[in-house]
Amino acid sequence: MKQQIKQEIKKLVEGEVLFSEPLKKYTSFQIGGPAEVLVTPRDIADLQRLISYLYRCDIPYQVLGNGTNLLISDQGLSKVVIKMTDLFNWFKFKSNQLRAGAGAKLPVIAKKAAERGLSGLEFAAGLPASIGGAVIMNAGAGNLGSIGDLITGVKVISSTGELKQYRRNELDFSYRQSNLQKDEQIIIEVELELIPTDSKTVHNKMQKLFLKRKETQPLTMPNAGCIFKNPTDDSAGRLIDQAGGKGLKVGDAQVSTKHANFIVNLGSASAQDVLDLIGKVKKLVNEQCGVELETEIIYLS
Ligand code: EPU
């Protein structure tokens, strides 16, 4: 990116603008080279100004949520990376309706929903995602449903910088996917409808799931959640385990010995280590079980 463009971005944006900022600081994997430019917009107008400028100058950008489902290349990103978690970190309940900024933390919201006796977000107990990130990839857990089931509306900024609003019937969610992934739209606000129950029931369900996660997943080590999508009616973790993949290593990247669908960073794993390990696991499962695994995490380069 030209120096002049970087200076123009710095002048245009009211929020924080950093150059050559290491992205490993912003991902749960603690992996990732530098962002050429990292912007934290100050408000929606600031974000809109930036997006329409980037559109006019044909400069690529990448939105960053809580960085919990990402693998970022060791070379970093020659793009403008837009960090959403500071500014858009708010939420409001009105009866069983919830409105939240895209950068709000899902586990915090899930806990508040439980206190109010609102069911639907139990799957999010301890899931360290931003709500915007969770919606865009329709996060969920096992048979507890996923966030797409609860959405009644989404506000986005289009790739040209315009504010747009979608209602439920315009949105299309499927397993770990949504039509919001198309066209570089930036989610800024989501609206959910939760199910009134009683707080004890919701709390117990959440607690059970959280304890199960703690017991079966490597939550204390840097990771990016489940690496692979579950094949229909099966579990990628079970298949990798059965194929003998637990503990497999490339450099400092290791298939977790606790849950085989997780890769953990033992200290200084590179993105390339993780990619090579993913390749090895896919080959192993294909050879041993005849199943072609598909990655769930998003690779950015
Ligand atoms: N299993 C093994 N070995 C392993 C891992 C699992 O044999 O190493 C077996 C388990 O014993 C169980 C079955 O596989 O019989 C399913 O395991 P688990 O209950 O852990 O569920 P999962 O299908 O592996 C899904 C989600 C998780 C979510 C859990 C909550 C996906 C890809 N994974 O995992 O989500 O936390 O359910 O129970 O949908 C994520 O999306 O990032 C994620 C981690």
Side-chain angles (χ1 to χ4, degrees):
M1 209 179 298
K2 286 191 194 133
Q3 201 55 35
Q4 184 203 341
I5 290 187
K6 291 190 191 174
Q7 290 315 321
E8 275 178 17
I9 293 174
K10 182 121 194 163
K11 249 196 253 157
L12 177 90
V13 171
E14 289 177 5
E16 188 181 46
V17 180
L18 300 170
F19 300 130
S20 304
E21 176 69 359
L23 289 170
K24 58 157 62 166
K25 285 167 49 181
Y26 305 94
T27 65
S28 57
F29 236 152
Q30 294 174 17
I31 293 175
E36 200 162 356
V37 183
L38 180 76
V39 176
T40 309
R42 206 179 71 172
D43 52 27
I44 291 177
D46 204 21
L47 177 60
Q48 279 185 284
R49 238 186 344 264
L50 171 68
I51 296 298
S52 49
Y53 170 81
L54 298 178
Y55 176 72
R56 280 197 312 276
C57 303
D58 200 20
I59 300 164
Y61 61 86
Q62 174 64 50
V63 175
L64 190 66
N66 217 25
T68 44
N69 197 45
L70 292 181
L71 178 62
I72 296 181
S73 125
D74 299 315
Q75 282 67 49
L77 304 177
S78 323
K79 295 177 180 178
V80 175
V81 177
I82 305 168
K83 192 163 159 268
M84 298 291 281
T85 42
D86 294 348
L87 161 67
F88 298 95
N89 187 4
W90 61 268
F91 60 90
K92 262 195 201 119
F93 284 94
K94 192 171 160 204
S95 161
N96 64 329
Q97 316 281 328
L98 165 70
R99 274 177 60 223
K105 304 268 182 355
L106 197 54
V108 178
I109 294 178
K111 202 164 160 242
K112 290 281 180 217
E115 280 167 18
R116 288 169 170 259
L118 296 172
S119 172
L121 288 173
E122 291 87 337
F123 73 87
L127 199 81
S130 67
I131 198 162
V135 169
I136 209 154
M137 51 114 20
N138 194 17
N143 55 7
L144 281 176
S146 40
I147 198 158
D149 306 336
L150 309 165
I151 298 289
T152 51
V154 174
K155 234 185 234 175
V156 303
I157 289 181
S158 76
S159 58
T160 54
E162 282 154 73
L163 263 176
K164 266 168 94 174
Q165 212 157 345
Y166 292 107
R167 302 316 305 167
R168 165 84 233 176
N169 58 1
E170 298 169 286
L171 297 168
D172 185 15
F173 291 101
S174 54
Y175 178 64
R176 302 296 182 265
Q177 256 170 354
S178 74
N179 58 345
L180 291 161
Q181 286 166 359
K182 284 190 300 190
D183 307 331
E184 297 193 305
Q185 308 184 88
I186 303 181
I187 299 185
I188 52 167
E189 195 179 309
V190 299
E191 231 179 78
L192 278 74
E193 196 171 285
L194 301 170
I195 306 136
T197 321
D198 69 285
S199 67
K200 204 162 169 208
T201 314
V202 184
H203 182 79
N204 288 347
K205 211 162 144 189
M206 263 176 72
Q207 191 62 11
K208 228 167 117 187
L209 187 74
F210 180 64
L211 290 177
K212 187 190 161 201
R213 269 217 178 99
K214 230 172 107 179
E215 201 183 301
T216 59
Q217 300 181 358
L219 302 185
T220 55
M221 301 177 86
N223 70 76
C226 283
I227 296 287
F228 298 99
K229 293 180 185 174
N230 278 345
T232 315
D233 297 329
D234 209 339
S235 151
R238 194 193 66 76
L239 289 167
I240 300 165
D241 195 354
Q242 187 194 312
K246 266 188 175 167
L248 217 61
K249 253 168 89 173
V250 174
D252 255 355
Q254 183 181 40
V255 174
S256 165
T257 50
K258 213 166 176 185
H259 194 299
N261 199 6
F262 281 70
I263 288 178
V264 292
N265 177 358
L266 297 176
S268 55
S270 64
Q272 195 55 51
D273 291 341
V274 176
L275 289 175
D276 292 348
L277 187 55
I278 287 174
K280 272 193 172 183
V281 170
K282 280 184 81 163
K283 188 160 174 274
L284 183 73
V285 171
N286 200 347
E287 281 168 3
Q288 301 289 318
C289 318
V291 177
E292 187 70 41
L293 289 179
E294 207 186 309
T295 43
E296 174 185 306
I297 57 162
I298 295 162
Y299 178 61
L300 300 178
S301 62

